[in-house]
Amino acid sequence: MNSRKIVIAHRGASAYLPEHTMEAKAMAYAMNPDYIEQDLVLSKDNVPVVIHDIYLDDVTNVTEVFPDKKRKDNRYYVIDFTFDELQLLQVTERFNPKTGKQFYPTRFPKNKGNFKLHSFEQEIELIQGLNYSTGKNIGIYPEIKNPEFHYENGKDIAKITLDILSDYGYKTKNDNCIFQCFDAKELERVRTELKSDLFLVQLMEFPEETKKLQHFATYADGIGPWYKQIIDKKENGKWLFTSFVSDAHKLGLKVHPYTFRADQLGEFSSFNEMLQVLFFEANIDGGFTDFPDKIVEFLAKK
Ligand code: CA
């Protein structure tokens, strides 16, 4: 990893096409981010599928195709379907399964187009194939989702994912891959027990995890916090920050916060202000974004 600030295409170019589809990944690739993200959940027959949640009913038409395959909680789980069965589903823009309402109203229209789920291997082959045909070298940034849930269903998603990465040449920190997970025990296991030499990023969900930075630094190379953990407050028109980024940098950890969205600005007045404040005033090392084109352009002007 060099010291340049990096852009991670969050679920692909997900602001413009349904998240985690091959189309969203190809579009992201053309926007020249440094990395393209994959969220991974195992199918019943142990194929890592690129999808954000362990559920199918908020991004596919599973309720129409397999109405009988829901669990008692009325949800449909990726892990209950073989990869071949998953191929029968149409993927659509994310929506609320209770109301049917599209999550981001100004994004790609729900139930339009023809999109499918795909495997991690299929996506690696897309990105490596494009690296070959274009001469670029864009990396992958896989996240294993909910390892605990996979264990409960008799599956070791970390081991399966690391084996595939190794088969495709991603073995060390010099290979163009960053491996991420929210589960700290599992990410530590990836380093110690599974002996991975990959660049590891510990994702962080809760503010109290800030106290664990020192421990994270014993096995991880970077951290992925929610961007709001970095901001303290705005005072007299100036943004003030927590000590989060400097604490992490002192421990040698890179900081890649999530998620930069031009259609969800929070307390910022514009996307450019958000980027200027986080990337340059708070001095983060990179970020996850649904709008890779906008951050690539912003950083190119700097
Ligand atoms: Ca993710």
Side-chain angles (χ1 to χ4, degrees):
M1 288 276 297
N2 55 32
S3 56
R4 206 168 46 80
K5 296 186 190 291
I6 62 160
V7 180
I8 307 141
H10 181 246
R11 311 180 199 174
S14 56
Y16 308 106
L17 278 162
E19 65 183 51
H20 283 318
T21 56
M22 280 292 206
E23 289 82 355
K25 301 308 170 86
M27 187 177 186
Y29 190 97
M31 293 171 167
N32 294 324
D34 299 278
Y35 294 86
I36 297 174
E37 190 205 26
Q38 299 80 32
D39 290 310
L40 302 174
V41 178
L42 291 179
S43 68
K44 191 177 186 176
D45 47 349
N46 293 329
V47 179
V49 179
V50 183
I51 186 167
H52 182 261
D53 294 307
I54 57 174
Y55 313 111
L56 290 162
D57 44 298
D58 42 17
V59 287
T60 74
N61 64 342
V62 67
T63 58
E64 292 158 31
V65 184
F66 295 102
D68 302 331
K69 283 184 77 111
K70 64 180 171 210
R71 289 195 184 183
K72 285 199 187 81
D73 60 358
N74 281 330
R75 301 221 68 178
Y76 296 77
Y77 288 75
V78 178
I79 215 160
D80 294 335
F81 295 77
T82 64
F83 186 70
D84 284 349
E85 287 171 332
L86 293 170
Q87 292 304 289
L88 301 173
L89 303 177
Q90 289 281 337
V91 175
T92 182
E93 183 66 26
R94 174 170 291 277
F95 62 97
N96 180 331
K98 285 195 185 118
T99 62
K101 241 178 99 178
Q102 184 168 337
F103 205 79
Y104 294 99
T106 58
R107 294 191 179 183
F108 197 88
K110 192 188 150 201
N111 295 336
K112 299 287 181 191
N114 177 26
F115 305 105
K116 298 284 181 187
L117 292 167
H118 63 268
S119 71
F120 185 36
E121 287 174 273
Q122 289 169 334
E123 184 165 333
I124 292 176
E125 290 183 9
L126 175 82
I127 293 168
Q128 290 194 343
L130 282 166
N131 281 343
Y132 182 78
S133 61
T134 63
K136 295 195 273 192
N137 186 19
I138 290 177
I140 58 172
Y141 205 132
E143 175 186 352
I144 51 168
K145 303 301 287 198
N146 219 325
E148 190 85 20
F149 170 81
H150 281 90
Y151 281 130
E152 286 160 15
N153 286 271
K155 297 184 189 300
D156 185 347
I157 188 173
K159 173 85 171 64
I160 289 172
T161 303
L162 288 173
D163 285 348
I164 290 173
L165 285 170
S166 170
D167 287 347
Y168 281 92
Y170 302 106
K171 295 175 184 168
T172 75
K173 288 177 223 257
N174 296 322
D175 302 317
N176 214 351
C177 172
I178 297 181
F179 188 96
Q180 48 167 340
C181 188
F182 273 105
D183 184 324
K185 250 171 61 193
E186 190 66 1
L187 195 67
E188 185 170 10
R189 170 180 175 254
V190 166
R191 180 72 84 213
T192 55
E193 196 184 316
L194 300 177
K195 307 221 177 306
S196 174
D197 292 321
L198 289 170
F199 193 100
L200 301 184
V201 163
Q202 179 64 59
L203 297 171
M204 299 170 65
E205 202 167 4
F206 307 106
E208 60 270 22
E209 286 173 311
T210 310
K211 292 185 236 118
K212 298 185 193 151
L213 277 186
Q214 208 147 9
H215 179 65
F216 293 161
T218 62
Y219 60 87
D221 306 287
I223 44 168
W226 188 24
Y227 77 86
K228 288 195 178 177
Q229 283 179 250
I230 290 166
I231 296 165
D232 183 11
K233 58 184 170 192
K234 196 174 183 180
E235 208 172 70
N236 303 323
K238 228 176 113 64
W239 291 95
L240 303 176
F241 305 103
T242 64
S243 65
F244 191 92
V245 176
S246 57
D247 290 348
H249 283 167
K250 274 182 215 141
L251 292 163
L253 293 164
K254 297 281 185 193
V255 183
H256 298 163
Y258 58 89
T259 303
F260 293 86
R261 296 185 171 110
D263 53 1
Q264 198 178 64
L265 293 171
E267 51 270 71
F268 295 102
S269 55
S270 70
F271 198 45
N272 263 17
E273 184 195 15
M274 185 184 196
L275 299 180
Q276 176 65 31
V277 166
L278 269 307
F279 275 79
F280 291 99
E281 293 177 29
N283 195 26
I284 61 170
D285 303 292
F288 290 88
T289 182
D290 296 358
F291 296 81
D293 55 334
K294 292 190 195 292
I295 305 194
V296 167
E297 190 192 348
F298 171 82
L299 291 176
K301 283 187 190 148
K302 290 284 158 179

